[in-house]
Amino acid sequence: MKPLLIALALVLAAPAPAYAHPRPPRDLRQLAQQHGIKIGSAVDIAALRAEADYHKTLNREFSHVTAENAMKWESVEPERGVFTWADADALVDSARRNRQQVRGHTLVWHNQLPAWLTAGVADGSIDAGELRSILRDHITTQVRRYKGKIRAWDVVNEVVQDDGTMRPSIWLTHLGPGYIADAFRWAHRADPRAKLYINDYNLEWNAPKIETTLALVKGLQAQGVPIHGAGFQGHLGIQYDYPGDWANVMRRFADLGLEVAVTELDVRMELPVTAEKLAEQAGYYSRALTDCLSVRACRELTVWGFTDRHSWVPGWFPGQGSACLFDENLAPKPAYQALLAVRSPR
Ligand code: 9MR
């Protein structure tokens, strides 16, 4: 063959450069890899154990997992001093076997506290000093147990209210505002490599909550508190406008030096389901991913359950549902295809 023809043959045979048009992703794992982020899901441990199709889909699609309930305080210490780690351990073990990273959810919250704790505070048998050491022990015990196995912890969850005031939880009421700095310091001491997050809902768009949370983060940073991330839960619904400023809000947190993550994305709708509603939902999911990808500090997008078979939505919002990427039979919905079609704005 003539040299010119050889050169031409070599050029034609060469693979397309990676930057041209990446091959369409096969699934969410591949999509996440192409974009250099993690795509995760909250996990229902009972379903993970009992349902082979749930198990299979979770592990095929997701490179990050969060326990939907299994790491909450009432789950891990239902009676004082009696620890029940089996479900949380099962999730962490499953993640390791399936090459998934883990978000720990959540250390300090006002919900799903064990009854022994709330009752003890209410009847005065647990005073402020004891409450503080109970919180310190809880954080230290749980974070230490999973040291090196949890990429990121939601250290404090939902501590700011929608009107921008601090939530008057038992923590604020009995320990004062310093409990937040303490929680981060204790968590950091127990696992210095874990990324420590503040996490909240409506942080995508609610101005008073955004401003208070930014001020809170700055105040913590000024005191040298180890805080590394801001989590946007992302519980959306197509009956509300998409939070169009979300990427800018993410950027404001990123500008403080934090990483950001979408931690609990779902997009609910009024039932019945129609093709139009599913198409609209698909747009919300793809915009959320696009927003995350447009901010370099956005490292993870996690959905709050991946199948309508196991979703918190119908139980909490009567008449609403169909919030997930897969239907009850684990068939992918238009939102799933829409995610696979997102191209990187980075
Ligand atoms: O999905 C969770 C549901 O199964 C629980 O009953 C509920 C109890 O409060 O918590 C749900 O998860 C919440 C998460 O932990 C924090 N952000 C809001 C989520 C939806 O309520």
Side-chain angles (χ1 to χ4, degrees), residues 42 44 66-69 72 74 105-106 109 111-112 154 157-158 199-201 233 235 263-264 266 304-305 310-313 316-317:
D44 177 326
T66 307
E68 184 173 0
N69 289 301
K72 293 172 180 174
E74 69 171 11
H105 177 81
T106 172
W109 195 23
N111 274 336
Q112 292 179 282
D154 293 332
N157 192 38
E158 304 172 1
N199 189 49
D200 216 326
Y201 62 87
Q233 293 185 4
H235 293 294
T263 53
E264 304 184 14
D266 52 16
W304 205 241
H310 299 289
S311 162
W312 71 295
V313 169
W316 287 71
F317 302 99

Side-chain angles (χ1 to χ4, degrees), residues 279-303:
E280 193 156 356
Q281 177 187 53
Y284 280 52
Y285 269 101
S286 66
R287 286 183 76 177
L289 177 58
T290 304
D291 281 343
C292 170
L293 294 176
S294 72
V295 179
R296 196 164 280 283
C298 188
R299 302 287 159 75
E300 170 201 336
L301 180 145
T302 286
V303 295

Side-chain angles (χ1 to χ4, degrees), residues 44-60:
D44 177 326
I45 312 297
L48 183 67
R49 287 205 178 96
E51 299 168 19
D53 55 351
Y54 180 99
H55 185 267
K56 195 171 149 209
T57 307
L58 175 77
N59 294 328
R60 185 185 68 227

